[in-house]
Amino acid sequence: MLAGLAHASRQPPVFAAVARVNVGQDPWRHLVPDGMQSPYYSERMTFDTQPHIITSRPVLERAAELCGEACPSPEAIGSRLTVSPVEGTWLLALEARAGSAEAARTIVNAVVDGYIQVSSEQREKNARESVRWLETQLTDYEQKVQSSHRALVDYLETEKLSHFGSIDGKGDASPASLLVGLRARRALVGLDLEALRAKYGERHPDVVDKRAEVVRLNTAVKDLESALREQQKKQIGFDLLAGRARADLDLYGVLARKLEQANITSSLGQSGISVVQYAGLPVAPLRLDRWRTVLLLLAAGEHPKVVQEILGH
């Protein structure tokens, strides 16, 4: 027991300083359309990774640079640091323990500043890379838009198409409506021919003229059907080229909007992290349960097996 008292009395004081940071949503999340918002579980996963980021090597190295002599090494900071979420919030509590109140406060505040700096730098780097990628994609699709529209114009000139639009069989001047009219005219002339044959026979002049008119109408119908098939082929080719041109232009517009959003995000220069509370100077050291240590050492001398069972549990 005396040895325990001597050991406990020589234990140095330990001070704990606590800071709190908010790692909630990004400040520019409103720029993203509603249908593209991140689901809750993704945000929660992002939140759960932050303690690992805070205790990562880059953050600890930056904290060591910021706090100077109070932090001998990144490893020393990591051994004195504890990060835990505040239940029901987007807050993280950072606690640093040290032999002096000033050292504990300096360490934890340096970690907070290092965490914010490293996170901001990483976000800015990601934003710059996104902007560069989008700029490259936008240039490529600008060329695709020009190429697809040039192909459409060349097709119109080559096929001598004078108007746009699909063939729907409507309109007095359309080939489809002309074909319908010719077929109807041919049917009526055929009925007249049969009536004249029945009345005058095959050699009557009116029968001969009517039969010649039927032949002319048959030829006209066949020619118009052939022309209509050819025009439909041209229309299909036009629709394919026009659809490709529209798709390229639409995608170009999407990329242009994404690039604008990325530029806005990059120009904000903010991270989603904010300091809720920097650590203040601890007013008193942590209360160490020295008497528990003394009693355990006393019991160890009297009943070592019992103490082993207690410590085992």
Side-chain angles (χ1 to χ4, degrees):
M1 183 180 67
L2 292 176
L5 279 173
H7 173 74
S9 63
R10 288 196 299 268
Q11 289 182 356
V14 177
F15 293 84
V18 179
R20 289 179 174 84
V21 295
N22 180 9
V23 293
Q25 299 174 348
D26 290 339
W28 50 77
R29 251 179 123 248
H30 66 279
L31 296 175
V32 183
D34 293 337
M36 299 176 62
Q37 297 286 1
S38 300
Y40 172 80
Y41 71 88
S42 296
E43 295 177 356
R44 194 75 229 179
M45 289 175 62
T46 301
F47 176 76
D48 292 341
T49 62
Q50 298 309 305
H52 302 283
I53 295 176
I54 293 174
T55 56
S56 65
R57 183 78 183 184
V59 173
L60 296 180
E61 288 179 349
R62 183 64 58 85
E65 295 174 3
L66 293 174
C67 70
E69 295 180 357
C71 306
S73 67
E75 291 79 10
I77 298 176
S79 64
R80 302 175 185 181
L81 182 67
T82 302
V83 182
S84 55
V86 179
E87 186 176 357
T89 70
W90 293 94
L91 303 181
L92 291 175
L94 285 69
E95 180 185 280
R97 297 188 177 189
S100 69
E102 183 65 32
R105 181 181 67 175
T106 301
I107 290 173
V108 73
N109 288 340
V111 172
V112 169
D113 290 337
Y115 170 50
I116 292 176
Q117 290 181 12
V118 171
S119 298
S120 298
E121 290 169 2
Q122 186 62 46
R123 287 173 181 268
E124 291 174 3
K125 178 183 176 183
N126 293 339
R128 288 194 300 269
E129 291 177 352
S130 297
V131 168
R132 283 196 297 268
W133 182 83
L134 285 170
E135 287 175 343
T136 301
Q137 294 296 312
L138 200 62
T139 301
D140 292 342
Y141 268 91
E142 184 177 3
Q143 296 175 355
K144 287 184 178 181
V145 168
Q146 294 175 354
S147 177
S148 59
H149 280 73
R150 191 180 303 114
L152 182 59
V153 172
D154 292 343
Y155 183 81
L156 290 172
E157 293 178 351
T158 301
E159 300 298 336
K160 296 180 174 57
L161 298 177
S162 59
H163 65 281
F164 297 89
S166 61
I167 300 171
D168 55 7
K170 298 179 180 180
D172 295 338
S174 67
S177 62
L178 292 175
L179 181 60
V180 171
L182 280 175
R183 286 173 175 171
R185 174 63 181 166
R186 182 179 62 178
L188 291 175
V189 172
L191 292 175
D192 291 342
L193 175 61
E194 293 300 324
L196 289 172
R197 281 175 175 171
K199 186 176 182 179
Y200 300 114
E202 291 290 339
R203 299 192 178 191
H204 193 275
D206 291 343
V207 174
V208 174
D209 292 341
K210 193 63 68 172
R211 189 164 47 241
E213 186 177 358
V214 170
V215 172
R216 288 194 302 270
L217 287 172
N218 283 333
T219 302
V221 168
K222 289 180 180 179
D223 292 343
L224 192 54
E225 286 176 344
S226 177
L228 185 58
R229 285 194 296 270
E230 187 64 26
Q231 185 171 354
Q232 288 173 336
K233 291 179 182 179
K234 292 180 180 180
Q235 185 69 55
I236 292 173
F238 168 79
D239 290 342
L240 288 174
L241 291 174
R244 186 177 304 166
R246 284 193 296 269
D248 289 343
L249 187 60
D250 290 343
L251 188 52
Y252 178 82
V254 171
L255 289 173
R257 289 191 293 273
K258 289 294 184 182
L259 178 59
E260 183 179 0
Q261 290 182 358
N263 282 323
I264 293 174
T265 299
S266 179
S267 64
L268 288 176
Q270 301 178 17
S271 68
I273 305 166
S274 60
V275 181
V276 176
Q277 176 186 340
Y278 276 107
L281 195 66
V283 296
L286 294 176
R287 295 183 63 185
L288 301 177
D289 196 353
R290 295 177 179 176
W291 285 110
R292 179 175 181 273
T293 303
V294 172
L295 292 176
L296 282 175
L297 290 173
L298 176 62
E302 296 294 334
H303 306 285
K305 291 184 178 180
V306 174
V307 174
Q308 288 177 4
E309 292 179 0
I310 295 175
L311 294 179
H313 291 291

